[in-house]
Amino acid sequence: MTRGNDVWGKAQGLPADYWTRPAVSRIDNYLLGRSDNYVPDRELASKLLHAAPWLPQMVRINGAHRPRTVHTLARDLSISQFIDLGCGLPPRWMGKAKGYDPGAPVYDAARLIHKAPRVVYVDNDPVVGGFARTMLDEHPTTATVDGDIREIDTLLDHPEITGLDRSRRIAVLLHDLLPWMTDAQAHRVMAALREWLPPGSAISLTHATTEWAPSAMQELVDHYAEDGILYRPRSVDEITALLSPWNLLSPGIVPTGQWRGPGAQGEAHWEHSHAYAAVISNGAQESTSPTSTN
Ligand SMILES: C[S@@+](CC[C@H](N)C(=O)[O-])C[C@H]1O[C@@H](n2cnc3c(N)ncnc32)[C@H](O)[C@@H]1O
């Protein structure tokens, strides 16, 4: 039976069941205590929270990692072009902070180092794309692409991506994105990016892991599966295999809350990361330092 929300979704040009099925972007939004989420998101989130009460910290630590990595890549590797794959709903951000801000989106974190960083935000959730266009993509050097990274070759051919300057370094963020796809899809994405990115580029990855709470993670996998969502947290060996063969930059593969950079010391409960973070590069051994001075 078609429900009212389905008709509304269709009228907006969204998939017919858009508002009646949970969405990963909106579940994160709920776990962060924000308001851009709906009954199906909250129903699934309450089951997830029952299995893993630390989920809000896990999501928050992952979000705080974004400006930290971007700032480090912009400063230490002089990168001023970024692609934020699976960017998610925009973080709380009023664009007013003058210095480093743990809630900043990619452009604002990079702008502390480079005057006009180029940033392409990508997500396959059409409402995320709408929010990104309204809240993130307001500068002449930013763009938003509605794209599915499982179709990585098509995505890399998009004019906003081909418009980047491939004679210079580019950084790609894959933060909490690969767990939402199969092994074959995740490896294909990594291979395509490695082939496409110019020398000196970097890929920043955060990835949920089964290492610390395997049974809770399995419960999450099962709850997502009940709603038709594939969730694939991986072991450290599986994450390492995704990162190979590029150079792993210092400090290596570490729990996200223990990564270096501004604010890194602030993660009192890094064990709630339940994810690893790493940056790889196809440059020569890079001049990154294990600890930040900011
Ligand atoms: C868990 S959120 C992470 C958001 C953000 N990267 C962060 O770290 O806070 C995952 C995001 O990836 C998006 N996503 C999932 N699968 C995708 C795909 N195949 N292609 C593009 N985006 C995808 C979801 O819509 C969601 O916004």
Side-chain angles (χ1 to χ4, degrees):
M1 192 174 85
T2 307
R3 296 200 286 181
N5 279 341
D6 293 338
V7 174
W8 188 42
K10 226 172 171 177
Q12 292 170 309
L14 296 169
D17 59 355
Y18 184 80
W19 300 109
T20 52
R21 289 168 55 88
V24 171
S25 56
R26 300 192 309 252
I27 290 172
D28 270 18
N29 179 274
Y30 175 73
L31 293 172
L32 290 169
R34 300 192 192 129
S35 56
D36 299 310
N37 49 76
Y38 304 94
V39 171
D41 310 311
R42 295 192 282 269
E43 283 177 353
L44 175 51
S46 69
K47 291 189 224 167
L48 301 174
L49 280 168
H50 189 72
W54 34 259
L55 261 186
Q57 288 98 315
M58 179 182 176
V59 174
R60 190 192 57 72
I61 289 171
N62 179 64
H65 185 67
R66 177 188 47 252
R68 188 177 296 153
T69 340
V70 169
H71 191 269
T72 305
L73 291 168
R75 183 194 58 192
D76 294 1
L77 301 189
S78 305
I79 294 180
S80 61
Q81 303 186 96
F82 293 84
I83 306 175
D84 187 2
L85 292 177
C87 61
L89 285 167
R92 165 207 59 77
W93 177 249
M94 302 308 286
K96 298 276 189 279
K98 292 250 179 330
Y100 179 82
D101 185 291
V106 174
Y107 176 87
D108 300 80
R111 195 172 50 91
L112 295 178
I113 309 292
H114 302 287
K115 199 167 163 218
R118 293 180 76 171
V119 183
V120 183
Y121 298 99
V122 179
D123 208 286
N124 69 344
D125 180 328
V127 169
V128 169
F131 271 97
R133 275 187 194 86
T134 313
M135 295 172 67
L136 299 178
D137 173 12
E138 56 184 357
H139 310 279
T141 56
T142 55
T144 299
V145 172
D146 295 312
D148 190 325
I149 77 151
R150 290 167 299 184
E151 289 156 28
I152 187 72
D153 296 323
T154 307
L155 182 64
L156 292 174
D157 265 347
H158 191 284
E160 295 293 0
I161 306 270
T162 55
L164 294 170
D165 178 358
R166 283 174 75 208
S167 69
R168 295 189 297 122
R169 302 168 173 203
I170 298 171
V172 174
L173 270 62
L174 282 168
H175 288 188
D176 198 9
L177 178 57
L178 297 187
W180 308 99
M181 54 199 70
T182 65
D183 292 351
Q185 289 163 343
H187 279 282
R188 172 78 196 102
V189 166
M190 293 303 290
L193 289 173
R194 282 196 302 267
E195 194 181 319
W196 183 84
L197 283 164
S201 294
I203 300 175
S204 170
L205 183 90
T206 65
H207 200 304
T209 186
T210 47
E211 295 288 321
W212 301 308
S215 55
M217 277 295 174
Q218 187 55 50
E219 282 189 64
L220 299 188
V221 169
D222 294 343
H223 286 313
Y224 276 116
E226 286 158 18
D227 273 300
I229 298 173
L230 178 132
Y231 185 49
R232 176 83 171 89
R234 294 185 167 93
S235 69
V236 70
D237 288 344
E238 289 170 319
I239 296 168
T240 306
L242 285 166
L243 297 166
S244 170
W246 277 18
N247 296 329
L248 191 55
L249 301 189
S250 175
I253 304 176
V254 295
T256 311
Q258 285 194 324
W259 209 76
R260 71 221 168 107
Q265 297 79 359
E267 302 297 358
H269 293 289
W270 63 264
E271 71 277 11
H272 291 314
S273 305
H274 289 282
Y276 283 103
V279 176
I280 53 172
S281 171
N282 61 351
Q285 201 54 48
E286 304 290 349
S287 58
T288 48
S289 51
T291 49
S292 165
T293 50
N294 280 331

